[in-house]
Amino acid sequence: MANLWQKLTHHDGNGWWNLPHGPSNELNPPHEGPIGGAWFGNLWQTLTHGGVSHAGAGFYWLVGFLLAVVTLLEVWLFTVEGLGGWYIPILLILSVAKFVGVVAYFMHLRFDHRMFTYFFASAMIIGILIFTIILFVAEHAHQKPLF
Amino acid sequence: MTQAAATEHHEPVENTSTGLNSRKLMMWAFLGSDVMFFGAFIATYLVYRGKSLVGPYPSEILDIPLTSVSTFVLLMSSLAMVLGLHYVKEGQKNKGTIWILVVVVLGAIFMGFQFYEFREFAHEGLTPRTNIFGTTFFILTGIHGAHVTIGVAWMAFMAYGSHTGALRKDNALDLEIAGLYWHFVDIVWIVIFTVIYLISATDGPPPGVGPTILH
């Protein structure tokens, strides 16, 4: 039991709840956290107690549990009547939360070098642009040409 | 933080122009291109949503409880993946191998669910040629299924490598790159599950058209 308590509470690099360290190498300014800003960097250093190279297994279990809860919530919302116009926005928000959870923590983007984030974010922006253009063109396909 | 401390705790700086591992960067670039690929197919599905003139329609055929279970399975495979990588990086060979095998098994179960779903739909009269819903649905979920199949094969290869000792702590990047691919397959399904299943599941026949008589 004492060992279990140690695992749950210690943040010294051996506990289950170790949070990942911020930037994965020195190309990021060492005083900044993965989303930038010295204030966050300081908080991050405090949370991780100086940091380890990657998270503890318990941290991933926690993220997996939260993702499962969000999925259950989505399915439950499907059965709820009377949400009206709120149904789709709520589902989209929950879906984005899951998406970000997996990309940030399971794919380690949150703690990896920022260049990877820039790569993926650029692709997401272009992807969303393609998505929007297709929907826009289809919506206006039967109308008078714009130009 | 000193350079010595940095080297102790962080991944080594690669000897490339970016300082990053080129293979990992290439995987992120590939995933970026796949975002656009799937984005185009999901947009196409939405463009033709509700435009089928004949059934079966989504409200008549989609099985949300079944797909919720398969979604949960795929989500848990992502957890198994990250745990597998964690233990390989820790140098715990057996635990690493087991968790990678869990990914393979969960991925195979997801494929089984999809095969069952496709077979049921075909049995009830929905094929890619039946209506525009069938076409866009099967193309999108089929391409995703192909990605899962490739991922399962890749993970089986990784599990074998971990078992034989070819995949170790010092070359765990191989597994990390494979893991990026696997997690991407998961996030694509997160979007598909929301857009096609949860949002479109109530889509019935267009006004003036009666429901389909299913076999």
PDB file of all heavy atoms in Angstrom, chain A residues 75-91:
ATOM      1  N   VAL A  75     -21.737   9.715 -26.964  1.00  0.00           N
ATOM      2  CA  VAL A  75     -22.759   8.704 -27.246  1.00  0.00           C
ATOM      3  C   VAL A  75     -24.017   8.984 -26.425  1.00  0.00           C
ATOM      4  O   VAL A  75     -25.138   8.841 -26.907  1.00  0.00           O
ATOM      5  CB  VAL A  75     -22.208   7.290 -26.968  1.00  0.00           C
ATOM      6  CG1 VAL A  75     -23.270   6.242 -27.190  1.00  0.00           C
ATOM      7  CG2 VAL A  75     -21.020   6.997 -27.870  1.00  0.00           C
ATOM      8  N   TRP A  76     -23.823   9.420 -25.177  1.00  0.00           N
ATOM      9  CA  TRP A  76     -24.972   9.760 -24.330  1.00  0.00           C
ATOM     10  C   TRP A  76     -25.759  10.932 -24.935  1.00  0.00           C
ATOM     11  O   TRP A  76     -26.995  10.911 -24.956  1.00  0.00           O
ATOM     12  CB  TRP A  76     -24.481  10.110 -22.923  1.00  0.00           C
ATOM     13  CG  TRP A  76     -25.582  10.554 -22.010  1.00  0.00           C
ATOM     14  CD1 TRP A  76     -26.560   9.773 -21.457  1.00  0.00           C
ATOM     15  CD2 TRP A  76     -25.856  11.896 -21.586  1.00  0.00           C
ATOM     16  NE1 TRP A  76     -27.406  10.544 -20.709  1.00  0.00           N
ATOM     17  CE2 TRP A  76     -26.999  11.849 -20.761  1.00  0.00           C
ATOM     18  CE3 TRP A  76     -25.229  13.127 -21.808  1.00  0.00           C
ATOM     19  CZ2 TRP A  76     -27.537  12.991 -20.166  1.00  0.00           C
ATOM     20  CZ3 TRP A  76     -25.758  14.257 -21.213  1.00  0.00           C
ATOM     21  CH2 TRP A  76     -26.905  14.181 -20.405  1.00  0.00           C
ATOM     22  N   LEU A  77     -25.035  11.930 -25.440  1.00  0.00           N
ATOM     23  CA  LEU A  77     -25.699  13.085 -26.056  1.00  0.00           C
ATOM     24  C   LEU A  77     -26.580  12.658 -27.220  1.00  0.00           C
ATOM     25  O   LEU A  77     -27.627  13.252 -27.482  1.00  0.00           O
ATOM     26  CB  LEU A  77     -24.659  14.099 -26.548  1.00  0.00           C
ATOM     27  CG  LEU A  77     -24.029  14.995 -25.481  1.00  0.00           C
ATOM     28  CD1 LEU A  77     -22.896  15.805 -26.084  1.00  0.00           C
ATOM     29  CD2 LEU A  77     -25.072  15.931 -24.881  1.00  0.00           C
ATOM     30  N   PHE A  78     -26.137  11.600 -27.913  1.00  0.00           N
ATOM     31  CA  PHE A  78     -26.897  11.097 -29.054  1.00  0.00           C
ATOM     32  C   PHE A  78     -28.298  10.638 -28.622  1.00  0.00           C
ATOM     33  O   PHE A  78     -29.257  10.737 -29.375  1.00  0.00           O
ATOM     34  CB  PHE A  78     -26.127   9.946 -29.715  1.00  0.00           C
ATOM     35  CG  PHE A  78     -26.842   9.312 -30.870  1.00  0.00           C
ATOM     36  CD1 PHE A  78     -26.941   9.972 -32.083  1.00  0.00           C
ATOM     37  CD2 PHE A  78     -27.434   8.064 -30.732  1.00  0.00           C
ATOM     38  CE1 PHE A  78     -27.613   9.401 -33.145  1.00  0.00           C
ATOM     39  CE2 PHE A  78     -28.104   7.485 -31.790  1.00  0.00           C
ATOM     40  CZ  PHE A  78     -28.202   8.154 -33.007  1.00  0.00           C
ATOM     41  N   THR A  79     -28.373  10.149 -27.385  1.00  0.00           N
ATOM     42  CA  THR A  79     -29.659   9.627 -26.908  1.00  0.00           C
ATOM     43  C   THR A  79     -30.534  10.712 -26.263  1.00  0.00           C
ATOM     44  O   THR A  79     -31.703  10.480 -25.991  1.00  0.00           O
ATOM     45  CB  THR A  79     -29.433   8.512 -25.859  1.00  0.00           C
ATOM     46  OG1 THR A  79     -28.760   9.102 -24.730  1.00  0.00           O
ATOM     47  CG2 THR A  79     -28.574   7.384 -26.413  1.00  0.00           C
ATOM     48  N   VAL A  80     -29.933  11.873 -26.007  1.00  0.00           N
ATOM     49  CA  VAL A  80     -30.679  12.941 -25.335  1.00  0.00           C
ATOM     50  C   VAL A  80     -31.541  13.680 -26.357  1.00  0.00           C
ATOM     51  O   VAL A  80     -31.054  14.057 -27.426  1.00  0.00           O
ATOM     52  CB  VAL A  80     -29.705  13.934 -24.646  1.00  0.00           C
ATOM     53  CG1 VAL A  80     -30.461  15.123 -24.066  1.00  0.00           C
ATOM     54  CG2 VAL A  80     -28.927  13.236 -23.561  1.00  0.00           C
ATOM     55  N   GLU A  81     -32.781  13.887 -26.006  1.00  0.00           N
ATOM     56  CA  GLU A  81     -33.662  14.643 -26.900  1.00  0.00           C
ATOM     57  C   GLU A  81     -33.810  16.064 -26.376  1.00  0.00           C
ATOM     58  O   GLU A  81     -33.686  16.315 -25.187  1.00  0.00           O
ATOM     59  CB  GLU A  81     -35.018  13.958 -26.993  1.00  0.00           C
ATOM     60  CG  GLU A  81     -34.946  12.667 -27.795  1.00  0.00           C
ATOM     61  CD  GLU A  81     -36.305  12.011 -27.923  1.00  0.00           C
ATOM     62  OE1 GLU A  81     -37.305  12.627 -27.533  1.00  0.00           O
ATOM     63  OE2 GLU A  81     -36.335  10.862 -28.403  1.00  0.00           O
ATOM     64  N   GLY A  82     -34.078  16.988 -27.287  1.00  0.00           N
ATOM     65  CA  GLY A  82     -34.350  18.357 -26.873  1.00  0.00           C
ATOM     66  C   GLY A  82     -33.135  19.269 -26.895  1.00  0.00           C
ATOM     67  O   GLY A  82     -33.210  20.408 -26.436  1.00  0.00           O
ATOM     68  N   LEU A  83     -31.999  18.759 -27.435  1.00  0.00           N
ATOM     69  CA  LEU A  83     -30.822  19.639 -27.511  1.00  0.00           C
ATOM     70  C   LEU A  83     -30.949  20.620 -28.673  1.00  0.00           C
ATOM     71  O   LEU A  83     -30.305  21.669 -28.674  1.00  0.00           O
ATOM     72  CB  LEU A  83     -29.545  18.804 -27.669  1.00  0.00           C
ATOM     73  CG  LEU A  83     -29.051  18.079 -26.422  1.00  0.00           C
ATOM     74  CD1 LEU A  83     -27.911  17.143 -26.770  1.00  0.00           C
ATOM     75  CD2 LEU A  83     -28.590  19.082 -25.373  1.00  0.00           C
ATOM     76  N   GLY A  84     -31.759  20.261 -29.645  1.00  0.00           N
ATOM     77  CA  GLY A  84     -32.023  21.141 -30.789  1.00  0.00           C
ATOM     78  C   GLY A  84     -30.753  21.542 -31.516  1.00  0.00           C
ATOM     79  O   GLY A  84     -29.915  20.714 -31.859  1.00  0.00           O
ATOM     80  N   GLY A  85     -30.601  22.854 -31.680  1.00  0.00           N
ATOM     81  CA  GLY A  85     -29.463  23.397 -32.422  1.00  0.00           C
ATOM     82  C   GLY A  85     -28.135  23.271 -31.684  1.00  0.00           C
ATOM     83  O   GLY A  85     -27.077  23.529 -32.262  1.00  0.00           O
ATOM     84  N   TRP A  86     -28.198  22.900 -30.405  1.00  0.00           N
ATOM     85  CA  TRP A  86     -26.964  22.787 -29.626  1.00  0.00           C
ATOM     86  C   TRP A  86     -26.246  21.465 -29.878  1.00  0.00           C
ATOM     87  O   TRP A  86     -25.070  21.336 -29.572  1.00  0.00           O
ATOM     88  CB  TRP A  86     -27.278  22.907 -28.116  1.00  0.00           C
ATOM     89  CG  TRP A  86     -27.639  24.298 -27.723  1.00  0.00           C
ATOM     90  CD1 TRP A  86     -28.898  24.795 -27.521  1.00  0.00           C
ATOM     91  CD2 TRP A  86     -26.748  25.389 -27.502  1.00  0.00           C
ATOM     92  NE1 TRP A  86     -28.841  26.129 -27.185  1.00  0.00           N
ATOM     93  CE2 TRP A  86     -27.529  26.513 -27.161  1.00  0.00           C
ATOM     94  CE3 TRP A  86     -25.351  25.531 -27.550  1.00  0.00           C
ATOM     95  CZ2 TRP A  86     -26.964  27.749 -26.886  1.00  0.00           C
ATOM     96  CZ3 TRP A  86     -24.793  26.764 -27.270  1.00  0.00           C
ATOM     97  CH2 TRP A  86     -25.600  27.858 -26.947  1.00  0.00           C
ATOM     98  N   TYR A  87     -26.977  20.488 -30.408  1.00  0.00           N
ATOM     99  CA  TYR A  87     -26.431  19.136 -30.535  1.00  0.00           C
ATOM    100  C   TYR A  87     -25.129  19.097 -31.344  1.00  0.00           C
ATOM    101  O   TYR A  87     -24.091  18.603 -30.861  1.00  0.00           O
ATOM    102  CB  TYR A  87     -27.489  18.217 -31.165  1.00  0.00           C
ATOM    103  CG  TYR A  87     -27.025  16.807 -31.403  1.00  0.00           C
ATOM    104  CD1 TYR A  87     -26.662  15.980 -30.351  1.00  0.00           C
ATOM    105  CD2 TYR A  87     -26.932  16.296 -32.698  1.00  0.00           C
ATOM    106  CE1 TYR A  87     -26.239  14.676 -30.568  1.00  0.00           C
ATOM    107  CE2 TYR A  87     -26.510  15.000 -32.934  1.00  0.00           C
ATOM    108  CZ  TYR A  87     -26.163  14.196 -31.858  1.00  0.00           C
ATOM    109  OH  TYR A  87     -25.731  12.915 -32.088  1.00  0.00           O
ATOM    110  N   ILE A  88     -25.172  19.648 -32.557  1.00  0.00           N
ATOM    111  CA  ILE A  88     -23.981  19.587 -33.431  1.00  0.00           C
ATOM    112  C   ILE A  88     -22.809  20.397 -32.859  1.00  0.00           C
ATOM    113  O   ILE A  88     -21.691  19.883 -32.786  1.00  0.00           O
ATOM    114  CB  ILE A  88     -24.346  19.995 -34.872  1.00  0.00           C
ATOM    115  CG1 ILE A  88     -25.265  18.913 -35.468  1.00  0.00           C
ATOM    116  CG2 ILE A  88     -23.103  20.180 -35.735  1.00  0.00           C
ATOM    117  CD1 ILE A  88     -25.751  19.198 -36.875  1.00  0.00           C
ATOM    118  N   PRO A  89     -23.023  21.657 -32.423  1.00  0.00           N
ATOM    119  CA  PRO A  89     -21.878  22.393 -31.849  1.00  0.00           C
ATOM    120  C   PRO A  89     -21.243  21.685 -30.652  1.00  0.00           C
ATOM    121  O   PRO A  89     -20.021  21.628 -30.552  1.00  0.00           O
ATOM    122  CB  PRO A  89     -22.501  23.734 -31.419  1.00  0.00           C
ATOM    123  CG  PRO A  89     -23.699  23.893 -32.276  1.00  0.00           C
ATOM    124  CD  PRO A  89     -24.219  22.512 -32.538  1.00  0.00           C
ATOM    125  N   ILE A  90     -22.089  21.118 -29.774  1.00  0.00           N
ATOM    126  CA  ILE A  90     -21.528  20.425 -28.595  1.00  0.00           C
ATOM    127  C   ILE A  90     -20.697  19.222 -29.041  1.00  0.00           C
ATOM    128  O   ILE A  90     -19.576  19.007 -28.564  1.00  0.00           O
ATOM    129  CB  ILE A  90     -22.645  19.975 -27.619  1.00  0.00           C
ATOM    130  CG1 ILE A  90     -23.314  21.184 -26.991  1.00  0.00           C
ATOM    131  CG2 ILE A  90     -22.083  19.071 -26.519  1.00  0.00           C
ATOM    132  CD1 ILE A  90     -24.553  20.857 -26.165  1.00  0.00           C
ATOM    133  N   LEU A  91     -21.243  18.452 -29.993  1.00  0.00           N
ATOM    134  CA  LEU A  91     -20.502  17.284 -30.493  1.00  0.00           C
ATOM    135  C   LEU A  91     -19.179  17.697 -31.128  1.00  0.00           C
ATOM    136  O   LEU A  91     -18.151  17.042 -30.925  1.00  0.00           O
ATOM    137  CB  LEU A  91     -21.339  16.550 -31.547  1.00  0.00           C
ATOM    138  CG  LEU A  91     -22.299  15.474 -31.065  1.00  0.00           C
ATOM    139  CD1 LEU A  91     -22.909  14.775 -32.259  1.00  0.00           C
ATOM    140  CD2 LEU A  91     -21.591  14.462 -30.176  1.00  0.00           C
TER     141      LEU A  91
END
